[in-house]
Amino acid sequence: MTKTNRRTFGLFLGASLAALTATTATTAMADNCGLTQPIKIIVGYGAGGGTDGYARVLAATLPDVLDGTPAVVINRPGGAQVAAMKFVKAANPNGTTLQVVAMGGGLMSTMLRDQGISWFEDFVPIAQFGVTNQALVVRNDSGITTAQQLIDLIKEKGAAGERARWSHPGRGSVSHVGVTAFLARNGLLDMTQDVPYDGGAGTRNALLSGEVDFSASGAHTVPAFEDQETAVGLLSDERDPVVDSIPTLQEQGLDFVPTSSPIILAAPAGASPELVDCLSAAVGKLPENVAFSTMLKKAQQAIRYRNAADTEANLRALAEAWAPTIAEVRENLAD
């Protein structure tokens, strides 16, 4: 690290710590919602991914709005967040075990196949506090810069009797479902082979090492790897609110299914309405927390707050909208 970079990093770190101290000192804290123990925040992905990043920012700043109640992140990766969901489902609903869920994959995985989980029966949403969008990405050395050029590559390989390989962080994840639907709607599914990995890091490494031809990636991760990969299309009808340089597939006139993923905090079913409302109100104060907003901005991650009732209504609407796509993907996987 150069002297200039060290100075820049030191200034940023110092500013962040100062902001955190100022926020803690000056922001009126909520009560502790009756919590007498630290909060365990379960994440269904490994450390370092987008969902984990959201969870760690949440854990670092929740004490500011919960009267100092500490929170710690515990990673339980595997099975498109199913392992983590099963763990939280069985936990005491007293608020000390919660889960940060990327609800695109979390909801889709329970709809795609029987996982022993019925999301709306087994969990209670507390609040949405973020959102991620999925992008189609290729290596820079591929020479591909648009989604149509990627389609042309897939067709070229298909005509030669080859399958284009693509990576994603697990079957049933939002990436897997969204890209599978895109491929099916454009007549490309039989010309491709999906390769699942455990989380975003493995998915990206497979692309950068040349093991696969393209990949699905969270839009927020693209700027950090822009010297190695190019995002050619966003699986959304609107550009990402933070990484707004990626054109949507809608802009490119291609058929797809929007698959944005709300990032939510959830509790096991049975949590009292009073506890849920109190925690929801506490999370609702975080967008005004300087440390919270600074850390998420640094990570290129968007802030999107909804209270408990609005989060549940939005999730139910998404489940209804995704149902035909889930059925389509399930049928394609069975073939």
Side-chain angles (χ1 to χ4, degrees), residues 163-177:
R163 286 191 172 194
R165 291 163 54 85
W166 64 282
S167 57
H168 59 81
R171 292 193 171 101
S173 66
V174 64
S175 303
H176 172 238
V177 173

Side-chain angles (χ1 to χ4, degrees), residues 208-250:
L208 300 182
S209 66
E211 296 175 41
V212 298
D213 298 293
F214 66 100
S215 183
S217 178
H220 64 281
T221 69
V222 171
F225 298 92
E226 61 185 359
D227 60 334
Q228 297 173 281
E229 67 180 29
T230 298
V232 298
L234 201 68
L235 294 166
S236 174
D237 48 14
E238 296 181 351
R239 293 205 177 197
D240 187 84
V242 176
V243 187
D244 59 2
S245 60
I246 305 172
T248 69
L249 293 179
Q250 183 179 55

Side-chain angles (χ1 to χ4, degrees), residues 199-324:
T203 301
R204 183 182 310 106
N205 289 339
L207 174 69
L208 300 182
S209 66
E211 296 175 41
V212 298
D213 298 293
F214 66 100
S215 183
S217 178
H220 64 281
T221 69
V222 171
F225 298 92
E226 61 185 359
D227 60 334
Q228 297 173 281
E229 67 180 29
T230 298
V232 298
L234 201 68
L235 294 166
S236 174
D237 48 14
E238 296 181 351
R239 293 205 177 197
D240 187 84
V242 176
V243 187
D244 59 2
S245 60
I246 305 172
T248 69
L249 293 179
Q250 183 179 55
E251 290 175 50
Q252 299 178 64
L254 297 171
D255 196 4
F256 74 104
V257 175
T259 48
S260 297
S261 180
I263 305 297
I264 75 161
L265 183 65
S272 72
E274 294 78 14
L275 173 63
V276 170
D277 287 345
C278 182
L279 289 173
S280 180
V283 175
K285 295 181 179 181
L286 290 179
E288 303 302 320
N289 180 292
V290 175
F292 180 84
S293 59
T294 299
M295 286 187 280
L296 287 182
K297 182 178 180 180
K298 178 70 174 177
Q300 300 284 326
Q301 292 177 305
I303 298 172
R304 177 66 169 93
Y305 174 74
R306 285 188 172 97
N307 64 24
D310 289 345
T311 297
E312 176 156 4
N314 183 53
L315 293 178
R316 289 187 180 277
L318 288 176
E320 183 178 352
W322 286 339

